[in-house]
Amino acid sequence: MQEKKIQVRGGMFSTDVLEAGSGSPLLYLHGWAGLPWDPFLEALSQKHHVIAPRIPGYGDSTGDEHIIEFEDLIVFLLDFL
């Protein structure tokens, strides 16, 4: 597993991204508990290239002040993609 930082929307968001594996890409979106790299993600990475961004406000990801409504989160994720 490798962790990197991605700038989204011209630097408005700085997003931690965990990646591992090879194969077809699989976007993993975490819940309210955050994003630890756990055995479940490790198992997914055996057959897929797992791409797991930390939502703004989790870990070192920034820009959560721009996420006011759920729709803002959706737009962020579309920009991330």
Side-chain angles (χ1 to χ4, degrees):
M1 186 272 299
Q2 71 175 29
E3 186 170 346
K4 60 184 175 182
K5 185 82 68 179
I6 303 263
Q7 300 300 311
V8 178
R9 204 179 301 161
M12 182 182 285
F13 300 94
S14 181
T15 305
D16 295 333
V17 181
L18 307 179
E19 287 188 73
S22 59
S24 59
L26 185 145
L27 178 65
Y28 179 83
L29 302 177
H30 68 83
W32 296 112
L35 179 65
W37 190 264
D38 59 17
F40 176 72
L41 290 174
E42 188 62 38
L44 286 175
S45 73
Q46 300 305 309
K47 295 188 177 186
H48 301 280
H49 175 188
V50 176
I51 304 162
R54 282 202 174 100
I55 303 297
Y58 287 85
D60 290 331
S61 293
T62 64
D64 56 312
E65 68 274 11
H66 304 293
I67 307 289
I68 308 301
E69 299 179 6
F70 185 71
E71 290 80 6
D72 298 327
L73 179 59
I74 293 168
V75 171
F76 160 77
L77 291 168
L78 290 171
D79 288 346
F80 172 80
L81 290 173

